[in-house]
Amino acid sequence: SSQPYRKVTPDCLNKAHDHLMNGIKKLTPPLTKARAKNSPIEIEALSTQLYGIHHKLINVCLKLADIHLQNYFSSNLLQSLRMAARMLRDATTLVEPRDIFDFSKDATDNSRLY
């Protein structure tokens, strides 16, 4: 498979980064409210959307890091890598409430697959 955003300019990647961050900022408060109301359908829908945005943002940050590495912009490289790491951390918190990482359950329990 090809690398995402391989032909996109750094300016466009920075713009995409800003738009994706804006999407995260807009969807986070409704997710917090859905969790407070304990609404599983809303939580699932919002978490899925946020996870997708985080995934795209991670790819954008990693591509920016790649560009900065090729051009020896070390401060920008570190900033992009830190942002990608933060997005990975945030993305994992979106799936934690769904018990996806709960390996303490019996391995024969298939209820988590659906």
Side-chain angles (χ1 to χ4, degrees), residues 9-81:
T9 66
D11 288 338
C12 291
L13 289 168
N14 284 320
K15 190 70 169 177
H17 175 273
D18 294 343
H19 285 295
L20 292 166
M21 288 301 295
N22 191 33
I24 290 171
K25 288 177 186 174
K26 288 187 187 264
L27 288 175
T28 301
L31 178 60
T32 303
K33 288 180 185 177
R35 286 182 175 159
K37 292 189 307 187
N38 199 20
S39 175
I41 293 174
E42 288 180 47
I43 293 170
E44 182 78 21
L46 290 165
S47 292
T48 301
Q49 290 297 315
L50 278 166
Y51 186 82
I53 293 172
H54 278 84
H55 180 78
K56 289 175 183 154
L57 190 55
I58 290 164
N59 283 331
V60 166
C61 290
L62 291 176
K63 181 57 186 170
L64 280 168
D66 181 41
I67 290 168
H68 297 318
L69 186 60
Q70 290 174 10
N71 294 319
Y72 302 106
F73 296 141
S74 61
S75 63
N76 291 339
L77 169 65
L78 290 175
Q79 180 183 8
S80 295
L81 290 173

Side-chain angles (χ1 to χ4, degrees), residues 63-109:
K63 181 57 186 170
L64 280 168
D66 181 41
I67 290 168
H68 297 318
L69 186 60
Q70 290 174 10
N71 294 319
Y72 302 106
F73 296 141
S74 61
S75 63
N76 291 339
L77 169 65
L78 290 175
Q79 180 183 8
S80 295
L81 290 173
R82 283 188 195 114
M83 179 62 75
R86 276 189 231 113
M87 291 301 108
L88 282 168
R89 180 200 61 208
D90 293 347
T92 57
T93 62
L94 291 169
V95 294
E96 283 175 354
R98 294 190 239 157
D99 293 333
I100 290 174
F101 298 119
D102 185 7
F103 298 111
S104 63
K105 293 185 180 181
D106 185 11
T108 60
D109 179 14

